[in-house]
Amino acid sequence: MDFGYPVLTILIAFPLIAACGLFFLRAPQVVRYYTMAASLIECLLAIPLINFQLNADFQFVEQIDWVHKWGLQYYLGVDGISILMVLLTIAVLPLCVMCSWTYIGKREKEFHFCLLFMTSAVLGVFCALDLVLFYVFWEAMLIPMYLLIAVWGGDERKYASLKFFLYTLAGSTLLLAAIVAFRITGGTFSIPELMEMNFSFRFQFWAFLAMALAFAIKVPMFPFHTWLPAAHVQAPSAGSVILAAVLLKMGTYGFLRFCLPLTPAASEYFAPMMIAISIVSILYGGAIALGQSDIKKLVAYSSVGHMGFVTLGIFLFNQRGVEGALFQMLNHGIVTGALFMMIGCVYERSHSRDISKNMGLGKYLPAFMFFWGLMALASFGFPGTNGFVGEILVFVGAFQHSTIIGMLCVPGALLAAAYMFRVSLKMAWGKPSTAAGWRDLNAREWVYLTIPAVFVFWIGLAPTPFFKVIDPSVDKLLNDFDKRKVAVVESEQPLQTAAADVLNVLAGKK
């Protein structure tokens, strides 16, 4: 639908323009109100996205020559796979501003600049249809996230921020190599055009490895997950919310947007490995979370398990699995983002994230414990909540693919229930109570916790509108995947053949 103006460009550019306006402000309270107003205006600017047509085409497309000589284009568009991530990113911004209202007490101007700048970068990632443009946005989000951890983080912020930076940069280097390879082989940076091409298995093999490693680090998947708990624990509340709600989704979005459409044969070839790593991530994340005494670290490790369900659903290559992955991406952003905001709430009262310092809250903070209990139930997929929709779809897809794979996922769901019940029961009724004299939620906290709570019930009880948005794109993705994957008919094993190619290149042989 043509609105006569570039909807996506405005959505991407406005937070950046608003961020520049912060340099003319001085008073911290004025900075907060200004950023809050900018975040609400951004939500209003997203209203045209409601007119998204229920089909598989890229919509709100903007295509302009950027550097014609190099074949670069300013090329934007959204489909059913990306539009929910765009809306989630926009919705998270005002919540981050509200949950940081009293939490951030230094360099408020720079802090809110980072929030706005990162929102623009992440929106660009989900909207870009040119590989180089995608990579520019992918790299742009690295600096503000690094600063959020390094400047406003906890006592070990330098270690956590450096680890995040190095892991992400390593993955970005591999992604850049894959982008260059696609340009040389396919002759274009246009993602829709590359989706129509068939590449040899050897090319797909190495392109998939490069991209998959970059995306696996971002998700993160086991064993590339070690940067995540440190980053979450040290980041301020808003940093953890953005990291959990949208930044991790960039990795799984990459699998759906690039690996399956561009390297279908290699995706199928590596699927058993990706499924195995996903199951390990589910079980490992749950087991480690169960033993944590730090609430924030517990939720951080739970993210490893939850995102394991997302990558599992993707590499099942069936309708229910991919639907479940997309729902789980959205639901994890809502629920885990809300949990991190609540951890920030209780930290402002107890000045500790240790479970033993935050017990017996049910008597003194009943409203807080209501929201915590709701998000805990949604986190492990209780029926009637949004978490149940995504998780049950992945389970159905897993059992359709293989009974063994389905059975291996069951302990992951049990572990999720175990660690969430453990921490929730102690926080609600643990003795001795440490919450005497603490105030319950204020009006601002009620607002930013009620919004995700509404979506927990909406998606959990009436998910049909969301199915209508994603299903056409999922159908097209899987149909194209089945048509374009090619059988490997070489006499040698693919891995041996590909490895021989590398040895020949290193030896200077063609």
Side-chain angles (χ1 to χ4, degrees):
M1 181 175 293
D2 185 9
F3 284 87
Y5 64 93
V7 175
L8 298 182
T9 293
I10 291 173
L11 286 174
I12 294 169
F14 178 76
L16 186 58
I17 296 171
C20 295
L22 287 169
F23 291 116
F24 301 98
L25 307 177
R26 289 188 177 183
Q29 199 68 354
V30 174
V31 168
R32 295 187 183 99
Y33 279 111
Y34 172 87
T35 311
M36 188 68 215
S39 68
L40 294 177
I41 292 172
E42 177 76 353
C43 292
L44 293 176
L45 292 174
I47 289 176
L49 296 182
I50 296 174
N51 293 286
F52 180 84
Q53 303 297 308
L54 302 179
N55 59 55
D57 298 332
F58 286 108
Q59 301 176 42
F60 304 98
V61 172
E62 302 168 31
Q63 189 173 9
I64 304 170
D65 275 344
W66 182 11
V67 183
H68 181 73
K69 184 177 180 180
W70 296 349
L72 302 182
Q73 293 180 310
Y74 179 78
Y75 194 2
L76 303 175
V78 291
D79 63 354
I81 292 173
S82 58
I83 190 167
L84 293 181
M85 295 298 101
V86 169
L87 294 172
L88 177 63
T89 303
I90 294 169
V92 162
L93 177 58
L95 303 184
C96 289
V97 176
M98 285 190 282
C99 76
S100 304
W101 204 266
T102 57
Y103 192 95
I104 300 300
K106 64 176 183 179
R107 295 189 169 185
E108 292 86 352
K109 185 189 301 184
E110 292 84 353
F111 175 82
H112 290 91
F113 179 91
C114 289
L115 286 184
L116 291 167
F117 186 94
M118 188 153 48
T119 299
S120 287
V122 175
L123 287 173
V125 167
F126 292 130
C127 295
L129 295 180
D130 179 274
L131 284 175
V132 173
L133 187 64
F134 172 86
Y135 186 76
V136 169
F137 286 125
W138 178 278
E139 288 292 272
M141 72 85 215
L142 179 58
I143 296 174
M145 190 66 225
Y146 169 81
L147 292 175
L148 284 177
I149 301 171
V151 178
W152 295 277
D155 294 337
E156 298 181 9
R157 58 185 180 272
K158 292 182 179 179
Y159 166 78
S161 58
L162 183 61
K163 194 170 187 178
F164 163 78
F165 187 89
L166 291 177
Y167 265 79
T168 306
L169 187 62
S172 298
T173 304
L174 294 169
L175 180 60
L176 180 60
I179 289 172
V180 173
F182 276 112
R183 174 64 176 87
I184 294 172
T185 306
T188 179
F189 288 117
S190 170
I191 296 171
E193 289 181 26
L194 290 170
M195 286 179 175
E196 301 299 322
M197 299 180 186
N198 290 318
F199 299 101
S200 69
F201 180 84
R202 293 183 186 181
F203 175 83
Q204 290 189 37
F205 182 97
W206 294 109
F208 176 90
L209 277 182
M211 294 189 298
L213 282 170
F215 300 143
I217 290 171
K218 183 69 73 177
V219 172
M221 299 177 72
F222 180 90
F224 308 107
H225 67 283
T226 56
W227 65 267
L228 181 65
H232 267 314
V233 170
Q234 298 304 316
S237 293
S240 293
V241 173
I242 292 178
L243 188 59
V246 293
L247 260 64
L248 304 188
K249 311 308 177 297
M250 289 165 56
T252 49
Y253 173 78
F255 283 124
L256 289 166
R257 177 63 74 223
F258 298 103
C259 290
L260 268 64
L262 303 185
T263 59
S267 296
E268 185 177 49
Y269 178 75
F270 284 106
M273 180 186 73
M274 300 301 293
I275 289 172
I277 295 174
S278 299
I279 293 173
V280 171
S281 297
I282 293 169
L283 300 178
Y284 174 85
I288 299 299
L290 187 60
Q292 298 302 313
S293 59
D294 184 302
I295 307 172
K296 206 172 188 184
K297 191 173 285 187
L298 182 150
V299 178
Y301 275 109
S302 77
S303 292
V304 177
H306 288 308
M307 295 306 291
F309 276 106
V310 177
T311 53
L312 174 63
I314 291 171
F315 286 94
L316 293 173
F317 305 136
N318 58 39
Q319 181 84 14
R320 295 294 171 251
V322 177
E323 285 177 344
L326 285 167
F327 267 97
Q328 199 73 348
M329 287 166 65
L330 177 63
N331 296 336
H332 178 266
I334 295 169
V335 173
T336 307
L339 288 172
F340 279 121
M341 288 192 289
M342 285 187 281
I343 293 170
C345 284
V346 77
Y347 182 81
E348 290 188 57
R349 292 160 172 80
S350 68
H351 304 291
S352 174
R353 291 186 292 265
D354 197 274
I355 297 174
S356 64
K357 303 293 184 182
N358 295 284
M359 297 198 299
L361 306 185
K363 181 178 179 181
Y364 300 99
L365 283 75
F368 173 87
M369 284 311 304
F370 164 75
F371 284 110
W372 181 273
L374 174 63
M375 297 303 166
L377 291 173
S379 181
F380 67 80
F382 190 80
T385 66
N386 60 342
F388 176 76
V389 178
E391 198 162 295
I392 195 65
L393 286 170
V394 174
F395 268 102
V396 171
F399 276 101
Q400 286 179 348
H401 190 276
S402 166
T403 302
I404 295 175
I405 292 174
M407 292 300 297
L408 288 173
C409 295
V410 173
L414 297 177
L415 284 168
Y419 61 69
M420 289 310 302
F421 269 125
R422 171 179 169 267
V423 66
S424 299
L425 292 175
K426 286 187 176 183
M427 289 176 66
W429 295 296
K431 295 181 180 180
S433 175
T434 56
W438 294 358
R439 70 185 187 283
D440 205 353
L441 300 178
N442 57 37
R444 173 175 51 84
E445 292 165 337
W446 266 98
V447 170
Y448 70 67
L449 291 178
T450 299
I451 293 171
V454 169
F455 282 93
V456 166
F457 286 119
W458 182 13
I459 299 174
L461 298 174
T464 302
F466 300 89
F467 276 110
K468 289 181 179 179
V469 170
I470 68 173
D471 273 351
S473 295
V474 172
D475 289 339
K476 183 177 186 303
L477 173 69
L478 294 177
N479 288 335
D480 290 348
F481 175 83
D482 289 334
K483 291 176 182 177
R484 294 182 57 246
K485 64 184 177 182
V486 293
V488 178
V489 293
E490 298 173 350
S491 58
E492 298 176 276
Q493 291 295 323
L495 182 59
Q496 295 171 338
T497 305
D501 289 345
V502 172
L503 293 176
N504 289 334
V505 170
L506 292 175
K509 300 176 182 178
K510 294 184 177 181

